[in-house]
Amino acid sequence: MNKKGRNVIFVVLFVILILVFTNPNEADYEQWLAEEHGIHYTSSPGMGREYVMSTNGVDQKIEYRGDHIQHAGIYTFYEKHYTDAEGSDINIKAFGILKMLFNRS
């Protein structure tokens, strides 16, 4: 293999390594969820997690319905489902890469 080919392989491996180490984790997602959508949770012994959605300074209890997280090493897809007091579905989908998270449809 010539020098140019080795350099290309080195750069590709280096970029993949950076993507792996900067893939957002669950804590990053929870922080983004609170900042972007106002959804956070409180924990109490014996009661588990209680989810709250803050809208215009008003806290509303929401019910956690489930999630799907797909880790692909260099990026992650997050999908969480909630229901509010009126029974409306709240579905949050995000794409994470380079310690950043983005809403996705």
Side-chain angles (χ1 to χ4, degrees):
M1 181 178 293
N2 62 20
K3 188 174 180 176
K4 184 177 180 180
R6 281 187 300 224
N7 287 343
V8 168
I9 290 172
F10 176 72
V11 169
V12 168
L13 290 175
F14 183 72
V15 168
I16 290 172
L17 189 64
I18 288 173
L19 290 172
V20 168
F21 282 107
T22 59
N23 190 13
N25 58 29
E26 189 73 21
D28 296 327
Y29 176 74
E30 295 291 339
Q31 181 181 355
W32 174 83
L33 193 61
E35 292 172 0
E36 189 75 19
H37 296 280
I39 297 175
H40 58 280
Y41 66 88
T42 57
S43 295
S44 57
M47 297 297 291
R49 289 183 175 181
E50 184 176 276
Y51 290 86
V52 176
M53 183 173 188
S54 299
T55 308
N56 298 327
V58 178
D59 287 349
Q60 174 188 9
K61 285 185 181 182
I62 57 175
E63 186 176 336
Y64 172 77
R65 290 297 197 189
D67 64 26
H68 177 75
I69 300 171
Q70 180 183 356
H71 293 284
I74 60 174
Y75 64 88
T76 304
F77 286 118
Y78 295 93
E79 192 171 333
K80 292 213 174 185
H81 307 283
Y82 306 91
T83 304
D84 65 11
E86 291 83 37
S88 299
D89 290 333
I90 302 167
N91 298 311
I92 309 292
K93 297 178 182 180
F95 170 73
I97 192 167
L98 294 172
K99 285 290 185 192
M100 295 182 292
L101 287 139
F102 306 95
N103 282 310
R104 66 180 181 98
S105 300

